Amino acid sequence: MFRTRGLLKRTSLTTNTIQTSTNTTTTRGRKASKVPHVCIIGSGPAGFYTAQQILKSHASARVDMYERLPVPFGLVRYGVAPDHPEVKNCINTFTQMASNPRFSFLGNVSVGVDGDSGIPLTQLRSAYHAVVMSYGSSRDRTLNIPGECLPNVVSARRLVGWYNGLPEDTDLDVDLGVESVVVVGQGNVAVDVARILLTPLDALRKTDIPEAVLNRLSESRVRRVTLVGRRGPQHVAFTIKELREMIKLPGCQPHLNPHHYTHLRDIIPDLPRPHKRLLELLAKTGLDPANPNNLAATHTSAQRTWSLSFLRSPIQVLASEHQAVTGIKLAINRLEGEPGRERAVTNTETEVMECGLVLRSIGYQGVSIHPSIPFNDNTATIQHIDSRVMGLEGMYVSGWIDWGSVGVFQYESITACHHDFTGMYVSGWIGTGPVGVILSTMTSGFSTGKAVVADMDSGRLDISEDKPGQDYIRDLLAQKGVRAVSFNEWSTLNRHEETEGARLGKPREKVTSISAMLKLMNH
């Protein structure tokens, strides 16, 4: 958050109002290069949607996409729940777009670091007219409580990476030989990890979960999962789709305390329709367990259960003398504030919830890949206005503004800070924070693509100077001994995974080792 003062206008950004630190203003109608070169860092949906918009809107622009892994698609491949294959259908659109001759994928390339194998951001800026950062949010928010570093206190993000075959999480040390699991958090990711832990193995075998992970899950003794939230049931962050799936989960029954849901029927009528439908289903499940229309009530032989615990904040993870997790100590909260804007306030009263595994699912954070980037540590996002990277020193408006999630405010004049960020853009979570679903990421990507092309057309982005693009970067990579992977090489690996998957009766069998990926791509 930044306290500034002056005049604020809510309107879209117009480039001719922007002044640089040298007091020069941008002008329109500059001589354009025939081939503008755009670099996109990150190959998740935000990056692909940005590329799609640029290629569609500009007849000659070339787009090069850089990815640290040898494979594309980011969280679509490694973050979407394996039992939600329909969410991954956007990969078909991305693959079709990748066939555009003005698009290139360069995988296995790290960006932003000055080490032996990485390409510094400064080199990319010199090689391209525009650099779009769309590398997402890769760091966990932490609880910062005693016991958080114990074995079997695991990030939900890493568990998701593990069962999705992310190479860096392949060797995740998680002990599933426990009966009770506590998930701290009540968002979609929290529900996803709970559902995977409770889903019958026969159903999981039909997904693209790697065989090595399935073998580990076959030995799981998990029988109870509790999702803990610091506020009330009206504040849950999961969607109705996720709730329906939990209610219908075979061999599993919800254990919900009716006392937690009685007040929902009083507030439901005044809620927006999506939130209303979610709470109606939650109240029905919690208050009418004997209702024959409630599918969970038919699971009389269920051996596994899930539950929701509200108004609780973790204050310590408890362990035995052998450092095995035995439970989590929770502070009991109360709500304060006006309806719709309540906040959780901790009481002195506490309780202990027994468990053998704690999963932390309280959100992701972005990281800065270069010290010169204007980064907001509070929101863990890159500062921007309408997708254009901008520093805030010397800007004056009134009130408090969260620049990580608000990119729609403009000023009578803007004085840029000490660095010139012209030609730098953000797309997706690194600009908005980890919010929304793929549809909202698509909107962000399209908006960024339009901003890049608008700046080319207006002259704010000077494309009259010839830039070498990937030719220069490939020379640097060759000097460092780094092999850049092409989209065609990824296609070779993709066919291998699909062939192996078909043999096992599943969509694909993911290769989880980077060295194995590169070896297969050589064939």
Side-chain angles (χ1 to χ4, degrees):
M1 298 284 207
F2 301 86
R3 182 182 291 278
T4 52
R5 63 182 184 274
L7 179 63
L8 179 70
K9 294 177 64 177
R10 189 168 188 173
T11 150
S12 44
L13 183 67
T14 55
T15 58
N16 60 345
T17 65
I18 298 173
Q19 294 183 323
T20 68
S21 55
T22 57
N23 295 322
T24 59
T25 57
T26 60
T27 57
R28 299 179 181 272
R30 289 176 178 169
K31 180 181 177 182
S33 167
K34 291 183 179 179
V35 183
H37 289 274
V38 179
C39 156
I40 295 178
I41 305 171
S43 68
F48 269 98
Y49 284 125
T50 300
Q52 181 180 350
Q53 185 65 46
I54 293 171
L55 295 171
K56 172 185 174 183
S57 303
H58 198 287
S60 60
R62 297 190 64 91
V63 177
D64 298 335
M65 180 177 286
Y66 290 84
E67 167 59 50
R68 68 179 181 88
L69 292 172
V71 295
F73 309 135
L75 281 182
V76 179
R77 177 177 169 93
Y78 291 121
V80 172
D83 56 349
H84 289 172
E86 71 284 353
V87 180
K88 303 182 183 184
N89 287 338
C90 58
I91 285 178
N92 299 327
T93 300
F94 301 157
T95 300
Q96 182 179 6
M97 192 217 71
S99 65
N100 189 312
R102 293 186 286 125
F103 173 86
S104 295
F105 172 78
L106 292 88
N108 197 42
V109 178
S110 298
V111 171
V113 294
D114 297 327
D116 293 337
S117 61
I119 297 296
L121 182 64
T122 51
Q123 299 281 16
L124 286 176
R125 292 199 68 190
S126 65
Y128 288 89
H129 295 99
V131 174
V132 179
M133 291 170 287
S134 64
Y135 55 85
S137 302
S138 58
R139 186 176 63 189
D140 299 302
R141 294 188 182 276
T142 56
L143 297 169
N144 296 318
I145 61 174
E148 188 171 7
C149 295
L150 287 166
N152 244 30
V153 180
V154 180
S155 156
R157 178 189 63 83
R158 292 206 63 200
L159 191 77
V160 170
W162 173 67
Y163 62 61
N164 272 318
L166 181 64
E168 64 197 57
D169 293 326
T170 299
D171 297 324
L172 180 67
D173 184 14
V174 56
D175 179 10
L176 299 179
V178 301
E179 291 194 0
S180 296
V181 178
V182 167
V183 183
V184 180
Q186 294 180 337
N188 278 348
V189 174
V191 177
D192 282 346
V193 296
R195 188 180 65 254
I196 295 299
L197 290 176
L198 294 171
T199 296
L201 190 65
D202 287 345
L204 295 180
R205 291 194 186 281
K206 300 174 184 177
T207 72
D208 62 3
I209 294 178
E211 288 297 298
V213 176
L214 288 172
N215 290 338
R216 293 274 303 279
L217 289 171
S218 70
E219 300 169 353
S220 171
R221 295 178 55 216
V222 173
R223 294 295 178 266
R224 296 182 298 276
V225 178
T226 302
L227 288 77
V228 176
R230 59 190 174 88
R231 295 192 293 172
Q234 65 269 36
H235 303 110
V236 295
F238 52 76
T239 62
I240 192 170
K241 177 178 183 292
E242 308 289 331
L243 178 58
R244 283 199 193 103
E245 289 176 330
M246 290 298 287
I247 294 171
K248 297 178 181 179
L249 200 57
C252 191
Q253 187 173 13
H255 277 187
L256 305 181
N257 185 343
H259 175 72
H260 294 159
Y261 307 95
T262 53
H263 70 288
L264 291 183
R265 287 176 172 168
D266 294 329
I267 65 175
I268 283 173
D270 298 326
L271 295 175
R273 188 170 183 271
H275 197 191
K276 179 179 181 180
R277 293 175 61 227
L278 169 64
L279 294 191
E280 283 176 341
L281 181 58
L282 187 58
K284 179 180 179 181
T285 306
L287 295 172
D288 303 326
N291 188 321
N293 294 324
N294 187 332
L295 293 178
T298 66
H299 300 156
T300 55
S301 61
Q303 297 182 351
R304 298 180 178 185
T305 64
W306 62 272
S307 60
L308 301 171
S309 180
F310 301 108
L311 297 174
R312 301 292 186 270
S313 292
I315 55 177
Q316 183 180 1
V317 180
L318 306 176
S320 69
E321 59 181 340
H322 302 295
Q323 297 299 292
V325 171
T326 59
I328 185 167
K329 188 176 183 180
L330 303 164
I332 299 177
N333 302 331
R334 68 181 187 276
L335 293 179
E336 291 185 356
E338 60 185 79
R341 303 185 65 178
E342 300 97 333
R343 66 184 186 278
V345 178
T346 300
N347 293 325
T348 57
E349 188 179 357
T350 64
E351 70 177 20
V352 172
M353 189 175 294
E354 294 183 357
C355 64
L357 169 63
V358 174
L359 297 173
R360 181 182 63 240
S361 184
I362 56 173
Y364 302 161
Q365 292 180 313
V367 297
S368 176
I369 59 172
H370 197 275
S372 69
I373 295 173
F375 194 78
N376 186 332
D377 290 324
N378 292 328
T379 60
T381 56
I382 296 173
Q383 296 166 182
H384 68 97
I385 299 177
D386 289 346
S387 304
R388 299 166 176 91
V389 175
M390 291 193 181
L392 296 181
E393 292 91 332
M395 293 185 175
Y396 299 98
V397 294
S398 61
W400 290 86
I401 298 178
D402 178 355
W403 291 100
S405 58
V406 179
V408 295
F409 292 96
Q410 184 210 346
Y411 312 86
E412 289 295 336
S413 68
I414 298 175
T415 303
C417 65
H418 307 295
H419 296 279
D420 179 13
F421 300 110
T422 302
M424 296 186 71
Y425 304 83
V426 294
S427 179
W429 283 4
I430 194 59
T432 65
V435 295
V437 292
I438 288 181
L439 179 61
S440 52
T441 301
M442 178 179 69
T443 301
S444 174
F446 286 169
S447 296
T448 301
K450 290 175 181 177
V452 173
V453 174
D455 288 352
M456 290 179 184
D457 292 342
S458 70
R460 178 173 188 265
L461 187 60
D462 185 0
I463 56 176
S464 62
E465 178 187 1
D466 286 334
K467 296 273 189 173
Q470 65 170 282
D471 292 343
Y472 172 66
I473 301 301
R474 286 187 180 277
D475 288 342
L476 289 178
L477 292 172
Q479 294 171 20
K480 294 172 178 283
V482 176
R483 172 191 173 189
V485 170
S486 69
F487 201 87
N488 284 338
E489 288 175 307
W490 146 248
S491 297
T492 299
L493 177 63
N494 181 49
R495 288 191 294 270
H496 168 84
E497 290 185 342
E498 290 180 336
T499 299
E500 288 300 300
R503 183 176 62 83
L504 296 168
K506 57 198 294 189
R508 69 173 63 241
E509 174 61 14
K510 290 179 180 176
V511 177
T512 60
S513 160
I514 289 179
S515 59
M517 291 177 183
L518 296 175
K519 183 176 180 180
L520 285 164
M521 289 174 180
N522 278 330
H523 292 171

